[in-house]
Amino acid sequence: EDQVTQSPEALRLQEGESSSLNCSYTVSGLRGLFWYRQDPGKGPEFLFTLYSAGEEKEKERLKATLTKKESFLHITAPKPEDSATYLCAVWGGNQFYFGTGTSLTVIP
Amino acid sequence: EAGVTQSPTHLIKTRGQQVTLRCSPISGHTSVYWYQQALGLGLQFLLWYDEGEERNRGNFPPRFSGRQFPNYSSELNVNALELEDSALYLCASSLAVGRNQPQHFGDGTRLSIL
């Protein structure tokens, strides 16, 4: 069964404390892995697309990496404004499969 | 460039009523997706339209339906509303599938069932 699992469910960091979020998937025939940020009451905001193992993308304090079975979103020296829920999704050929997200709180 | 727009932003209905939600995709995007996000839960896939055709639907009852118009805008219809239909309904659009393009989301319609 196609599935996307994210961990941890919730993460609290001190400002400046770097960490990583994990997204593992069991979708056959992966054709793209996507990271999103969602703020409360808003729609998800697109961050990155990764297509093949070994690929990396960066944006400000965020860096996404991809292996054959999982992806990591590394957050370097986070700031309070990075607090949000981070979602990953994979395109399995006939639909997107979303994980349930990691709720990140960055404490000043 | 205008993003995905959804209307209305909020709706309050009672059990048994019917509702129509609307979505305008980003210009040039031909695929539209609908998701349900209940409070504290993940995004549940509802429907996918591309070039006016329904391409796939998620595990939802037939009272959830929709369509895509020639201008690629879309509407989601929900009949016989139930309390558990209370959720944020999100619409997303993307360039033509097959090119692994990311979805871009609107801010959703918050539907409350009393």
Side-chain angles (χ1 to χ4, degrees):
Chain A
E1 180 182 329
D2 295 333
Q3 189 169 298
V4 177
T5 303
Q6 291 188 248
S7 62
E9 288 186 11
L11 183 62
R12 289 172 64 90
L13 298 173
Q14 291 291 116
E15 185 173 0
E17 179 187 3
S18 301
S19 188
S20 297
L21 314 182
N22 177 263
C23 171
S24 62
Y25 57 90
T26 56
V27 173
S28 58
L30 178 72
R31 300 175 196 179
L33 185 141
F34 307 88
W35 281 98
Y36 292 86
R37 168 192 171 127
Q38 186 174 24
D39 293 300
K42 298 286 190 179
E45 174 191 353
F46 170 68
L47 293 173
F48 303 110
T49 305
L50 301 165
Y51 291 115
S52 56
E55 190 174 358
E56 299 182 350
K57 294 276 181 72
E58 284 189 68
K59 180 180 180 180
E60 295 181 354
R61 295 176 292 283
L62 300 177
K63 179 180 177 181
T65 62
L66 180 65
T67 71
K68 287 187 177 180
K69 291 296 182 186
E70 59 190 354
S71 177
F72 293 93
L73 184 64
H74 307 278
I75 303 176
T76 302
K79 298 182 178 181
E81 53 262 41
D82 295 323
S83 298
T85 295
Y86 290 85
L87 301 168
C88 78
V90 298
W91 172 249
N94 63 356
Q95 72 175 75
F96 286 91
Y97 295 89
F98 277 84
T100 52
T102 293
S103 176
L104 174 66
T105 303
V106 181
I107 305 162
Chain B
E1 177 184 86
V4 176
T5 57
Q6 293 187 243
S7 63
T9 54
H10 294 86
L11 266 179
I12 299 175
K13 293 285 186 179
T14 57
R15 289 178 60 191
Q17 287 188 306
Q18 177 267 341
V19 69
T20 298
L21 312 181
R22 294 179 174 82
C23 172
S24 292
I26 292 171
S27 177
H29 286 190
T30 61
S31 276
V32 170
Y33 312 80
W34 288 95
Y35 293 87
Q36 181 195 68
Q37 188 176 36
L39 195 62
L41 298 180
L43 274 71
Q44 302 297 312
F45 169 68
L46 271 165
L47 290 160
W48 165 29
Y49 293 96
D50 183 61
E51 296 284 357
E53 300 286 329
E54 182 180 301
R55 300 296 185 184
N56 197 15
R57 66 177 292 131
N59 188 26
F60 280 83
R63 57 191 186 84
F64 287 84
S65 65
R67 55 179 171 167
Q68 186 179 33
F69 299 98
N71 66 353
Y72 303 115
S73 67
S74 177
E75 65 181 29
L76 174 69
N77 299 293
V78 188
N79 295 321
L81 287 166
E82 300 179 2
L83 292 176
E84 54 264 35
D85 296 334
S86 293
L88 180 67
Y89 288 84
L90 291 163
C91 171
S93 71
S94 73
L95 293 169
V97 294
R99 304 175 199 167
N100 309 325
Q101 297 296 317
Q103 302 172 100
H104 296 269
F105 285 83
D107 282 336
T109 294
R110 172 72 63 186
L111 177 62
S112 299
I113 311 301
L114 303 179

